[in-house]
Amino acid sequence: QVTLVESGGGLVQAGGSLRLACTAPRRTFSRAAMAWFRQAPGKERVVVGYISRNGGTTYYADSVKGRFTISRDSDKNTVYLQMNKLKPEDTAVYYCAARDTILTDITFYSTSSDYVHWGQGTQVTVSS
């Protein structure tokens, strides 16, 4: 179900930065945990960042920890992925995803099948 709108992908040199943005319908954004996934050529789609419904909890894949930051802006119904110190191995199509949650659910949902709302994907290419 493609309902989210992504932007911000592009081509950068290693060490550079990009910020991805994903806008969701208000009804979706207000009750959903959000995540960013990526899929490199020939690879499985994997989660890189997660943020809880209220923004209080985040998780990151070990490969991006310390370099990527996920955040959300309730006024804009938007989740961001700030990507710094990019590496060639970060090259992938990045997907935004949303999962409806209850307030007491602190589970880190890390599998694509856990999410029902998706963006169309945005290409990030990091050159060496």
Coordinates of all heavy atoms in Angstrom, one line a residue, residues 4-51:
L4 N 2.6 6.9 1.3 CA 3.5 7.9 1.8 C 4.3 8.5 0.7 O 4.6 7.9 -0.3 CB 4.4 7.3 2.8 CG 3.8 6.4 3.9 CD1 4.9 5.8 4.8 CD2 2.7 7.1 4.7
V5 N 4.7 9.8 0.8 CA 5.4 10.5 -0.2 C 6.8 10.8 0.3 O 7.0 11.5 1.3 CB 4.7 11.8 -0.6 CG1 5.4 12.6 -1.6 CG2 3.2 11.5 -1.0
E6 N 7.8 10.3 -0.4 CA 9.2 10.5 -0.1 C 9.9 11.5 -1.0 O 9.5 11.6 -2.1 CB 9.9 9.1 -0.1 CG 9.3 8.1 0.8 CD 9.8 6.7 0.5 OE1 10.3 6.5 -0.7 OE2 9.7 5.8 1.3
S7 N 11.0 12.1 -0.4 CA 11.8 13.0 -1.2 C 13.2 13.0 -0.6 O 13.4 12.6 0.6 CB 11.2 14.4 -1.3 OG 11.1 15.0 0.0
G8 N 14.1 13.6 -1.3 CA 15.4 13.9 -0.7 C 16.6 13.0 -1.2 O 17.7 13.2 -0.8
G9 N 16.3 11.9 -2.0 CA 17.3 11.1 -2.5 C 18.2 11.8 -3.5 O 17.8 12.9 -4.0
G10 N 19.3 11.2 -3.8 CA 20.2 11.7 -4.8 C 21.5 11.1 -4.8 O 21.7 10.0 -4.2
L11 N 22.4 11.7 -5.5 CA 23.8 11.2 -5.6 C 24.8 12.1 -4.9 O 24.8 13.3 -5.0 CB 24.2 11.2 -7.1 CG 25.7 10.9 -7.4 CD1 26.0 9.5 -7.0 CD2 25.9 11.1 -8.9
V12 N 25.5 11.5 -4.0 CA 26.5 12.2 -3.2 C 27.8 11.4 -3.2 O 27.9 10.2 -3.4 CB 26.0 12.5 -1.8 CG1 24.8 13.3 -1.7 CG2 25.8 11.2 -1.0
Q13 N 28.9 12.1 -2.8 CA 30.2 11.5 -2.6 C 30.3 11.0 -1.2 O 29.6 11.4 -0.3 CB 31.3 12.5 -2.9 CG 31.5 12.9 -4.3 CD 32.7 13.8 -4.5 OE1 32.9 14.7 -3.8 NE2 33.5 13.5 -5.6
A14 N 31.1 10.0 -1.1 CA 31.4 9.4 0.2 C 31.8 10.5 1.2 O 32.5 11.4 0.9 CB 32.4 8.3 0.2
G15 N 31.2 10.4 2.4 CA 31.4 11.5 3.4 C 30.4 12.6 3.4 O 30.3 13.4 4.3
G16 N 29.6 12.6 2.4 CA 28.5 13.6 2.3 C 27.3 13.3 3.1 O 27.2 12.3 3.8
S17 N 26.3 14.2 2.9 CA 25.1 14.1 3.7 C 23.8 14.2 2.8 O 23.9 14.9 1.8 CB 25.0 15.1 4.8 OG 26.0 15.0 5.7
L18 N 22.8 13.6 3.2 CA 21.5 13.8 2.6 C 20.4 13.7 3.7 O 20.6 13.1 4.7 CB 21.2 12.7 1.6 CG 21.8 12.7 0.2 CD1 21.5 11.4 -0.6 CD2 21.4 13.9 -0.6
R19 N 19.3 14.4 3.4 CA 18.2 14.2 4.3 C 16.9 13.8 3.6 O 16.5 14.5 2.6 CB 17.9 15.6 5.1 CG 16.8 15.4 6.2 CD 16.6 16.6 7.0 NE 15.8 17.6 6.3 CZ 15.0 18.5 6.9 NH1 15.0 18.6 8.2 NH2 14.4 19.4 6.2
L20 N 16.4 12.7 3.9 CA 15.2 12.2 3.3 C 14.0 12.6 4.1 O 14.1 12.8 5.3 CB 15.2 10.6 3.3 CG 16.4 10.0 2.6 CD1 16.2 8.4 2.6 CD2 16.7 10.5 1.2
A21 N 12.9 12.8 3.4 CA 11.7 13.2 4.1 C 10.5 12.3 3.6 O 10.5 11.9 2.5 CB 11.3 14.7 3.8
C22 N 9.6 12.1 4.5 CA 8.4 11.3 4.2 C 7.2 11.9 4.8 O 7.2 12.0 6.0 CB 8.7 9.8 4.7 SG 7.2 8.8 4.6
T23 N 6.2 12.2 4.0 CA 5.0 12.8 4.5 C 3.9 11.8 4.4 O 3.7 11.2 3.4 CB 4.7 14.1 3.7 OG1 5.7 15.0 3.8 CG2 3.4 14.7 4.2
A24 N 3.1 11.7 5.5 CA 2.0 10.8 5.6 C 0.7 11.5 5.8 O 0.7 12.7 6.2 CB 2.3 9.8 6.8
P25 N -0.4 10.9 5.4 CA -1.7 11.5 5.8 C -1.8 11.6 7.3 O -1.2 10.8 8.0 CB -2.7 10.4 5.3 CG -2.0 9.7 4.2 CD -0.5 9.6 4.6
R26 N -2.4 12.7 7.7 CA -2.4 13.1 9.1 C -2.9 11.9 10.0 O -2.4 11.6 11.0 CB -3.3 14.3 9.3 CG -3.4 14.7 10.8 CD -4.1 16.1 10.9 NE -5.4 16.0 10.3 CZ -6.5 15.5 10.8 NH1 -6.5 15.0 12.1 NH2 -7.6 15.6 10.2
R27 N -4.0 11.3 9.5 CA -4.6 10.2 10.3 C -3.6 9.0 10.5 O -3.6 8.3 11.5 CB -5.9 9.7 9.6 CG -7.0 10.7 9.7 CD -8.3 10.1 9.0 NE -8.7 8.8 9.6 CZ -9.6 8.0 9.1 NH1 -10.1 8.3 7.9 NH2 -9.9 6.9 9.6
T28 N -2.8 8.8 9.5 CA -1.8 7.7 9.5 C -0.7 8.1 10.4 O -0.2 7.4 11.4 CB -1.3 7.4 8.1 OG1 -2.3 6.9 7.3 CG2 -0.1 6.4 8.2
F29 N -0.1 9.3 10.2 CA 1.0 9.8 11.0 C 0.8 9.9 12.5 O 1.7 9.5 13.3 CB 1.5 11.2 10.4 CG 2.8 11.6 11.0 CD1 4.0 11.3 10.4 CD2 2.8 12.5 12.1 CE1 5.2 11.7 10.9 CE2 4.0 12.9 12.6 CZ 5.2 12.5 12.0
S30 N -0.4 10.3 12.8 CA -0.6 10.6 14.3 C -0.8 9.3 15.1 O -0.6 9.4 16.3 CB -1.9 11.4 14.4 OG -3.1 10.7 13.9
R31 N -1.0 8.2 14.5 CA -1.1 7.0 15.3 C -0.1 5.9 14.9 O -0.4 4.7 15.2 CB -2.6 6.4 15.1 CG -2.9 6.1 13.7 CD -4.4 5.8 13.6 NE -4.8 5.4 12.2 CZ -6.1 5.2 11.8 NH1 -7.1 5.4 12.7 NH2 -6.3 4.9 10.6
A32 N 0.9 6.2 14.2 CA 1.8 5.2 13.7 C 3.3 5.4 14.1 O 3.8 6.5 14.2 CB 1.8 5.3 12.1
A33 N 3.9 4.3 14.4 CA 5.3 4.2 14.4 C 5.8 4.3 13.0 O 5.2 3.8 12.0 CB 5.8 3.0 15.1
M34 N 7.0 4.9 12.8 CA 7.5 5.1 11.5 C 8.9 4.5 11.4 O 9.7 4.4 12.3 CB 7.7 6.6 11.1 CG 6.4 7.4 11.3 SD 5.1 7.0 10.1 CE 5.9 7.7 8.6
A35 N 9.3 4.1 10.2 CA 10.6 3.4 9.9 C 11.1 3.8 8.6 O 10.3 4.1 7.6 CB 10.5 1.9 10.1
W36 N 12.4 3.7 8.4 CA 13.0 3.7 7.1 C 13.7 2.4 6.9 O 14.4 1.9 7.7 CB 14.1 4.8 7.1 CG 13.5 6.2 7.0 CD1 13.3 7.1 8.0 CD2 13.1 6.9 5.8 NE1 12.8 8.3 7.6 CE2 12.7 8.2 6.2 CE3 13.1 6.6 4.5 CZ2 12.2 9.1 5.3 CZ3 12.6 7.5 3.5 CH2 12.2 8.8 4.0
F37 N 13.4 1.9 5.7 CA 14.1 0.7 5.2 C 14.9 1.0 4.0 O 14.8 2.1 3.4 CB 13.0 -0.4 4.8 CG 12.3 -1.0 5.9 CD1 11.3 -0.3 6.6 CD2 12.6 -2.3 6.3 CE1 10.6 -0.9 7.6 CE2 11.9 -2.9 7.3 CZ 10.9 -2.2 8.0
R38 N 15.8 0.1 3.7 CA 16.5 0.3 2.4 C 16.8 -1.1 1.8 O 16.8 -2.1 2.4 CB 17.9 1.0 2.6 CG 18.9 0.2 3.4 CD 20.2 1.1 3.6 NE 21.2 0.4 4.3 CZ 22.3 1.0 4.8 NH1 22.5 2.3 4.6 NH2 23.3 0.2 5.3
Q39 N 16.9 -1.0 0.5 CA 17.1 -2.2 -0.3 C 18.2 -2.0 -1.4 O 18.0 -1.2 -2.3 CB 15.9 -2.7 -1.0 CG 16.0 -4.1 -1.6 CD 14.7 -4.7 -2.0 OE1 13.7 -4.0 -2.1 NE2 14.6 -6.0 -2.2
A40 N 19.3 -2.6 -1.2 CA 20.4 -2.5 -2.1 C 20.3 -3.5 -3.2 O 19.6 -4.5 -3.0 CB 21.8 -2.7 -1.4
P41 N 20.9 -3.3 -4.4 CA 20.7 -4.2 -5.5 C 21.1 -5.7 -5.0 O 22.2 -5.9 -4.5 CB 21.7 -3.7 -6.5 CG 21.7 -2.2 -6.3 CD 21.7 -2.1 -4.8
G42 N 20.2 -6.6 -5.3 CA 20.5 -8.0 -5.0 C 20.4 -8.3 -3.5 O 20.7 -9.4 -3.1
K43 N 19.9 -7.4 -2.7 CA 19.9 -7.6 -1.2 C 18.4 -7.6 -0.8 O 17.5 -7.1 -1.5 CB 20.7 -6.5 -0.5 CG 22.1 -6.5 -0.9 CD 22.9 -7.7 -0.3 CE 24.4 -7.5 -0.6 NZ 25.1 -8.7 0.0
E44 N 18.2 -8.1 0.4 CA 16.9 -8.0 1.1 C 16.6 -6.6 1.6 O 17.6 -5.8 1.9 CB 16.8 -9.0 2.2 CG 17.0 -10.4 1.9 CD 15.8 -11.0 1.1 OE1 14.7 -10.5 1.3 OE2 16.0 -11.8 0.2
R45 N 15.4 -6.3 1.7 CA 15.0 -5.0 2.3 C 15.2 -5.1 3.8 O 14.6 -6.0 4.4 CB 13.5 -4.7 1.9 CG 13.1 -3.3 2.4 CD 11.7 -2.9 1.9 NE 11.6 -2.9 0.5 CZ 10.5 -2.6 -0.2 NH1 9.4 -2.1 0.5 NH2 10.5 -2.6 -1.5
V46 N 15.9 -4.1 4.4 CA 16.2 -4.2 5.8 C 15.9 -2.8 6.4 O 16.0 -1.8 5.7 CB 17.7 -4.5 6.0 CG1 18.0 -6.0 5.6 CG2 18.6 -3.6 5.4
V47 N 15.6 -2.8 7.7 CA 15.3 -1.6 8.4 C 16.6 -0.9 8.7 O 17.6 -1.5 9.1 CB 14.5 -1.9 9.7 CG1 15.3 -2.6 10.7 CG2 13.9 -0.6 10.2
V48 N 16.6 0.4 8.6 CA 17.8 1.2 9.0 C 17.5 2.1 10.2 O 18.4 2.4 11.0 CB 18.4 2.0 7.9 CG1 18.9 1.0 6.8 CG2 17.3 2.9 7.2
G49 N 16.2 2.5 10.3 CA 15.9 3.4 11.4 C 14.4 3.3 11.8 O 13.6 3.0 10.9
Y50 N 14.1 3.5 13.0 CA 12.7 3.4 13.5 C 12.5 4.5 14.6 O 13.4 4.8 15.3 CB 12.6 2.0 14.2 CG 11.3 1.8 15.1 CD1 10.2 1.3 14.6 CD2 11.4 2.2 16.4 CE1 9.0 1.2 15.4 CE2 10.2 2.0 17.2 CZ 9.1 1.5 16.7 OH 8.0 1.4 17.5
I51 N 11.3 5.0 14.6 CA 10.9 5.9 15.6 C 9.5 5.6 16.1 O 8.6 5.4 15.3 CB 11.0 7.4 15.1 CG1 10.8 8.4 16.2 CG2 10.1 7.7 13.9 CD1 11.3 9.8 15.9

